[in-house]
Amino acid sequence: MSDPLTGEGLALDLVNTRPVTEDGRADLLATPDRLAAWLAREPALQAEVGNAAPTAADLGPVHAVREHIDAVVHALLNGVRPPQAALRGLTEAQRAAPAVRELAWDGAGVTATSRRDGRLGVRLAARLAEAAVDLLTDPAVSRLKRCEADDCVMVFLPAHPRRRWCSPTRCGNRTRVARYYRRHRP
């Protein structure tokens, strides 16, 4: 798998940037270029990024928030209390670059645009931590699932209760083909 699963919401999309490959666990945000490629696939982050290009200094805050979200999500999947350090880390990431609603006049009315100050990585981490808060406090989080494919570590929030795989074309198809070969192999 060379690209992350996207479309699950920012927090889960971030967690899903550590897929299993033939060589083990990959980090799809290991370099500034990889982070930039992921950001380009996440429309909800475009306002935060603007024209800025990620640097090596931006990776740390984003990786830290990903680890915190991952710890909380997997605790919930396992039915245990989320680690206090992870919850505190998500709160601190938001506190490092709080969103301020900047008011302006557009000629017809007052508009409000959310803005954050600070380095790109800190702003991204704050926005991603905010997305995690939205996910983790939503009652729908109780439907959170792991992909049922043997070699997949992706997590998702199913829209349909019978959804079993992160992607029907990725893991679903691979699983069905493997099942077919097991049944029809002499």
Side-chain angles (χ1 to χ4, degrees):
M1 178 181 314
S2 60
D3 64 329
L5 178 67
T6 56
E8 290 296 330
L10 283 177
L12 293 180
D13 282 358
L14 181 63
V15 169
N16 288 334
T17 59
R18 297 235 338 123
V20 172
T21 66
E22 294 118 19
D23 300 325
R25 204 82 193 254
D27 184 353
L28 301 178
L29 306 181
T31 66
D33 288 341
R34 287 182 174 190
L35 176 58
W38 181 74
L39 292 171
R41 288 191 288 269
E42 293 290 351
L45 293 174
Q46 295 313 305
E48 211 59 64
V49 176
N51 294 329
T55 66
D58 297 322
L59 296 174
V62 173
H63 288 175
V65 165
R66 177 178 58 186
E67 294 308 315
H68 295 317
I69 298 169
D70 188 71
V72 174
V73 162
H74 283 88
L76 294 175
L77 283 168
N78 293 323
V80 298
R81 182 181 179 164
Q84 187 61 35
L87 298 174
R88 194 172 31 256
L90 291 171
T91 301
E92 291 303 316
Q94 292 176 89
R95 196 172 279 143
V100 174
R101 295 182 69 200
E102 196 172 90
L103 297 174
W105 178 258
D106 70 359
V110 176
T111 62
T113 306
S114 212
R115 302 250 190 252
R116 296 176 198 276
D117 289 330
R119 262 187 15 246
L120 176 61
V122 174
R123 292 192 328 260
L124 286 172
R127 176 64 182 95
L128 292 163
E130 192 176 86
V133 170
D134 292 342
L135 168 72
L136 299 171
T137 59
D138 187 330
V141 78
S142 65
R143 298 190 326 258
L144 198 61
K145 285 187 176 183
R146 274 186 195 97
C147 181
E148 290 184 19
D150 291 337
D151 60 347
C152 188
V153 295
M154 300 292 189
V155 292
F156 60 92
L157 198 55
H160 189 281
R162 291 180 50 202
R163 182 176 169 194
R164 300 173 55 198
W165 301 292
C166 63
S167 166
T169 57
R170 184 177 287 156
C171 289
N173 191 48
R174 262 194 354 243
T175 302
R176 286 187 294 271
V177 167
R179 191 179 326 140
Y180 174 85
Y181 279 111
R182 279 194 303 272
R183 281 194 318 254
H184 292 89
R185 188 171 239 169

